[in-house]
Each structure stands twice: as C-alpha cells, then as structure tokens.
Amino acid sequence: MREALVQAGRAAVADEVPVGAVVVRDGELVGAGHNQPSGAHDPTAHAEIVALRNAARNLKNYRLCGTTLYVTLEPCLMCAGAIIQARVERVVFGAFDEKAGAAGSTANLLQTPLANHQCQLTAGVLKEECAALLERFFAEIRSVDQEAMPACP
C-alpha cells in the first residue's frame, strides 16, 4: 500500500485526484499507475486501470491470476469491472468511497455471485493516510474555487 501511496502522490503532483494503485504477484511489483483522466483526456485512466494495463503488458497476459491489486481508494464500478475481467485474486484498498465505491460502499461488484469471478477483499488498509491525501486535494480545490469566485454584493 505504501507504493500505491507513492503513485497517488504522483497523481497529486499532476493535479489529478490523488489515487494510486499497484499490482503485485508473488511479492514482486508487476504494475503501477496513478489517476490521469484529465491529463490523458481519457475517462478510463483511473489508477486501477492504468496499473492493470501496465501489469498485463509486463506479464504479457491480460489475465492477472494470482495477483493482488493495492489501491488507495475503493474501486468504482468501472474499475471493479476491469478487475473482474483481469481475474485479479485479491484487492486491498485504503479509503472508502461512500459515493461511488463498488467494493462495499455503494455496491460490492467484486464479490457478487452474478459475475464470473470474485475477488478476495481487504478494506481500510492505511485508511487515514489514503483519505488524508484526498481530503487535502479537495480542500485545496475548494479554497481555489472560493478565491476565484467574485464576492457576493
């Protein structure tokens, strides 16, 4: 999870929502990524998707059996779908996403019997550190937005 936090820091430096993810197999980092939908002009460029693509290229296989995905924020529906398609064995996440989380907060797509694959799930790892990155990022955005807004008469 520490390396996922490093990836999240890279997203923050790039003015992206600070979410980072890494894929590990047998104790070895095989993929990494951070949020970059704004910079890449790509709505699918979430940290998890970027890390899964990186891992698939490195392993030369889109099926990532036997891997663990560490991500600083609970995956959304899109990312959960990609995780299922990649056959990731286990997902470990930090902060909960009460509005869009698909690993227990609003839904649990990763463990639904309706899908052809289910993941082991560990939630809340380094939750405070992961959440603090997001809170600082959004507090700064709100501060900048307030400064840019004209004063009310």
PDB file of all heavy atoms in Angstrom, residues 46-60:
ATOM      1  N   HIS A  46      -8.241   5.718 -14.792  1.00  0.00           N
ATOM      2  CA  HIS A  46      -8.197   5.647 -13.334  1.00  0.00           C
ATOM      3  C   HIS A  46      -6.949   4.865 -12.935  1.00  0.00           C
ATOM      4  O   HIS A  46      -6.434   4.062 -13.712  1.00  0.00           O
ATOM      5  CB  HIS A  46      -9.434   4.953 -12.781  1.00  0.00           C
ATOM      6  CG  HIS A  46     -10.679   5.765 -12.875  1.00  0.00           C
ATOM      7  ND1 HIS A  46     -11.807   5.443 -12.163  1.00  0.00           N
ATOM      8  CD2 HIS A  46     -10.987   6.879 -13.587  1.00  0.00           C
ATOM      9  CE1 HIS A  46     -12.762   6.318 -12.420  1.00  0.00           C
ATOM     10  NE2 HIS A  46     -12.291   7.197 -13.294  1.00  0.00           N
ATOM     11  N   ALA A  47      -6.492   5.064 -11.719  1.00  0.00           N
ATOM     12  CA  ALA A  47      -5.268   4.416 -11.240  1.00  0.00           C
ATOM     13  C   ALA A  47      -5.298   2.904 -11.425  1.00  0.00           C
ATOM     14  O   ALA A  47      -4.319   2.301 -11.862  1.00  0.00           O
ATOM     15  CB  ALA A  47      -5.040   4.763  -9.765  1.00  0.00           C
ATOM     16  N   GLU A  48      -6.433   2.292 -11.097  1.00  0.00           N
ATOM     17  CA  GLU A  48      -6.530   0.838 -11.205  1.00  0.00           C
ATOM     18  C   GLU A  48      -6.378   0.373 -12.647  1.00  0.00           C
ATOM     19  O   GLU A  48      -5.675  -0.613 -12.921  1.00  0.00           O
ATOM     20  CB  GLU A  48      -7.893   0.344 -10.683  1.00  0.00           C
ATOM     21  CG  GLU A  48      -8.159   0.662  -9.244  1.00  0.00           C
ATOM     22  CD  GLU A  48      -8.951   1.950  -9.044  1.00  0.00           C
ATOM     23  OE1 GLU A  48      -8.735   2.927  -9.789  1.00  0.00           O
ATOM     24  OE2 GLU A  48      -9.788   1.982  -8.122  1.00  0.00           O
ATOM     25  N   ILE A  49      -7.036   1.050 -13.569  1.00  0.00           N
ATOM     26  CA  ILE A  49      -6.983   0.672 -14.981  1.00  0.00           C
ATOM     27  C   ILE A  49      -5.559   0.821 -15.507  1.00  0.00           C
ATOM     28  O   ILE A  49      -5.037  -0.065 -16.201  1.00  0.00           O
ATOM     29  CB  ILE A  49      -7.956   1.521 -15.824  1.00  0.00           C
ATOM     30  CG1 ILE A  49      -9.392   1.416 -15.306  1.00  0.00           C
ATOM     31  CG2 ILE A  49      -7.846   1.167 -17.308  1.00  0.00           C
ATOM     32  CD1 ILE A  49     -10.105   0.137 -15.557  1.00  0.00           C
ATOM     33  N   VAL A  50      -4.917   1.941 -15.161  1.00  0.00           N
ATOM     34  CA  VAL A  50      -3.540   2.171 -15.603  1.00  0.00           C
ATOM     35  C   VAL A  50      -2.624   1.072 -15.049  1.00  0.00           C
ATOM     36  O   VAL A  50      -1.790   0.526 -15.770  1.00  0.00           O
ATOM     37  CB  VAL A  50      -3.054   3.578 -15.190  1.00  0.00           C
ATOM     38  CG1 VAL A  50      -1.582   3.779 -15.530  1.00  0.00           C
ATOM     39  CG2 VAL A  50      -3.907   4.659 -15.857  1.00  0.00           C
ATOM     40  N   ALA A  51      -2.784   0.729 -13.778  1.00  0.00           N
ATOM     41  CA  ALA A  51      -1.951  -0.317 -13.160  1.00  0.00           C
ATOM     42  C   ALA A  51      -2.228  -1.691 -13.787  1.00  0.00           C
ATOM     43  O   ALA A  51      -1.294  -2.460 -14.024  1.00  0.00           O
ATOM     44  CB  ALA A  51      -2.186  -0.361 -11.651  1.00  0.00           C
ATOM     45  N   LEU A  52      -3.493  -1.996 -14.051  1.00  0.00           N
ATOM     46  CA  LEU A  52      -3.833  -3.279 -14.685  1.00  0.00           C
ATOM     47  C   LEU A  52      -3.238  -3.366 -16.086  1.00  0.00           C
ATOM     48  O   LEU A  52      -2.688  -4.400 -16.474  1.00  0.00           O
ATOM     49  CB  LEU A  52      -5.352  -3.466 -14.748  1.00  0.00           C
ATOM     50  CG  LEU A  52      -6.081  -3.666 -13.416  1.00  0.00           C
ATOM     51  CD1 LEU A  52      -7.592  -3.647 -13.635  1.00  0.00           C
ATOM     52  CD2 LEU A  52      -5.630  -4.933 -12.720  1.00  0.00           C
ATOM     53  N   ARG A  53      -3.335  -2.289 -16.853  1.00  0.00           N
ATOM     54  CA  ARG A  53      -2.748  -2.278 -18.206  1.00  0.00           C
ATOM     55  C   ARG A  53      -1.238  -2.484 -18.135  1.00  0.00           C
ATOM     56  O   ARG A  53      -0.672  -3.248 -18.922  1.00  0.00           O
ATOM     57  CB  ARG A  53      -3.051  -0.956 -18.902  1.00  0.00           C
ATOM     58  CG  ARG A  53      -4.485  -0.806 -19.346  1.00  0.00           C
ATOM     59  CD  ARG A  53      -4.735   0.563 -19.948  1.00  0.00           C
ATOM     60  NE  ARG A  53      -6.120   0.679 -20.396  1.00  0.00           N
ATOM     61  CZ  ARG A  53      -6.748   1.824 -20.531  1.00  0.00           C
ATOM     62  NH1 ARG A  53      -6.146   2.971 -20.277  1.00  0.00           N
ATOM     63  NH2 ARG A  53      -7.998   1.845 -20.944  1.00  0.00           N
ATOM     64  N   ASN A  54      -0.604  -1.803 -17.188  1.00  0.00           N
ATOM     65  CA  ASN A  54       0.843  -1.919 -17.023  1.00  0.00           C
ATOM     66  C   ASN A  54       1.230  -3.352 -16.659  1.00  0.00           C
ATOM     67  O   ASN A  54       2.164  -3.924 -17.228  1.00  0.00           O
ATOM     68  CB  ASN A  54       1.299  -0.901 -15.981  1.00  0.00           C
ATOM     69  CG  ASN A  54       2.778  -0.837 -15.800  1.00  0.00           C
ATOM     70  OD1 ASN A  54       3.271  -1.174 -14.723  1.00  0.00           O
ATOM     71  ND2 ASN A  54       3.512  -0.414 -16.816  1.00  0.00           N
ATOM     72  N   ALA A  55       0.497  -3.941 -15.729  1.00  0.00           N
ATOM     73  CA  ALA A  55       0.780  -5.313 -15.308  1.00  0.00           C
ATOM     74  C   ALA A  55       0.558  -6.294 -16.452  1.00  0.00           C
ATOM     75  O   ALA A  55       1.364  -7.208 -16.664  1.00  0.00           O
ATOM     76  CB  ALA A  55      -0.096  -5.690 -14.112  1.00  0.00           C
ATOM     77  N   ALA A  56      -0.521  -6.117 -17.200  1.00  0.00           N
ATOM     78  CA  ALA A  56      -0.811  -7.019 -18.319  1.00  0.00           C
ATOM     79  C   ALA A  56       0.297  -6.960 -19.374  1.00  0.00           C
ATOM     80  O   ALA A  56       0.713  -7.994 -19.904  1.00  0.00           O
ATOM     81  CB  ALA A  56      -2.159  -6.664 -18.939  1.00  0.00           C
ATOM     82  N   ARG A  57       0.783  -5.748 -19.665  1.00  0.00           N
ATOM     83  CA  ARG A  57       1.900  -5.621 -20.613  1.00  0.00           C
ATOM     84  C   ARG A  57       3.144  -6.314 -20.082  1.00  0.00           C
ATOM     85  O   ARG A  57       3.824  -7.044 -20.806  1.00  0.00           O
ATOM     86  CB  ARG A  57       2.205  -4.144 -20.886  1.00  0.00           C
ATOM     87  CG  ARG A  57       1.358  -3.528 -21.969  1.00  0.00           C
ATOM     88  CD  ARG A  57       1.885  -2.164 -22.397  1.00  0.00           C
ATOM     89  NE  ARG A  57       1.976  -1.205 -21.311  1.00  0.00           N
ATOM     90  CZ  ARG A  57       0.977  -0.424 -20.897  1.00  0.00           C
ATOM     91  NH1 ARG A  57      -0.193  -0.488 -21.497  1.00  0.00           N
ATOM     92  NH2 ARG A  57       1.151   0.416 -19.912  1.00  0.00           N
ATOM     93  N   ASN A  58       3.444  -6.070 -18.800  1.00  0.00           N
ATOM     94  CA  ASN A  58       4.653  -6.662 -18.210  1.00  0.00           C
ATOM     95  C   ASN A  58       4.590  -8.186 -18.142  1.00  0.00           C
ATOM     96  O   ASN A  58       5.599  -8.862 -18.335  1.00  0.00           O
ATOM     97  CB  ASN A  58       4.919  -6.084 -16.820  1.00  0.00           C
ATOM     98  CG  ASN A  58       5.372  -4.645 -16.876  1.00  0.00           C
ATOM     99  OD1 ASN A  58       5.915  -4.188 -17.884  1.00  0.00           O
ATOM    100  ND2 ASN A  58       5.145  -3.912 -15.797  1.00  0.00           N
ATOM    101  N   LEU A  59       3.407  -8.714 -17.862  1.00  0.00           N
ATOM    102  CA  LEU A  59       3.243 -10.167 -17.749  1.00  0.00           C
ATOM    103  C   LEU A  59       2.862 -10.819 -19.077  1.00  0.00           C
ATOM    104  O   LEU A  59       2.755 -12.035 -19.150  1.00  0.00           O
ATOM    105  CB  LEU A  59       2.195 -10.495 -16.679  1.00  0.00           C
ATOM    106  CG  LEU A  59       2.555 -10.073 -15.251  1.00  0.00           C
ATOM    107  CD1 LEU A  59       1.378 -10.287 -14.311  1.00  0.00           C
ATOM    108  CD2 LEU A  59       3.798 -10.811 -14.768  1.00  0.00           C
ATOM    109  N   LYS A  60       2.611  -9.982 -20.076  1.00  0.00           N
ATOM    110  CA  LYS A  60       2.224 -10.467 -21.406  1.00  0.00           C
ATOM    111  C   LYS A  60       0.976 -11.360 -21.342  1.00  0.00           C
ATOM    112  O   LYS A  60       0.875 -12.386 -22.027  1.00  0.00           O
ATOM    113  CB  LYS A  60       3.386 -11.175 -22.087  1.00  0.00           C
ATOM    114  CG  LYS A  60       4.565 -10.249 -22.346  1.00  0.00           C
ATOM    115  CD  LYS A  60       5.702 -10.954 -23.013  1.00  0.00           C
ATOM    116  CE  LYS A  60       6.901 -10.104 -23.317  1.00  0.00           C
ATOM    117  NZ  LYS A  60       7.115  -8.854 -22.690  1.00  0.00           N
TER     118      LYS A  60
END
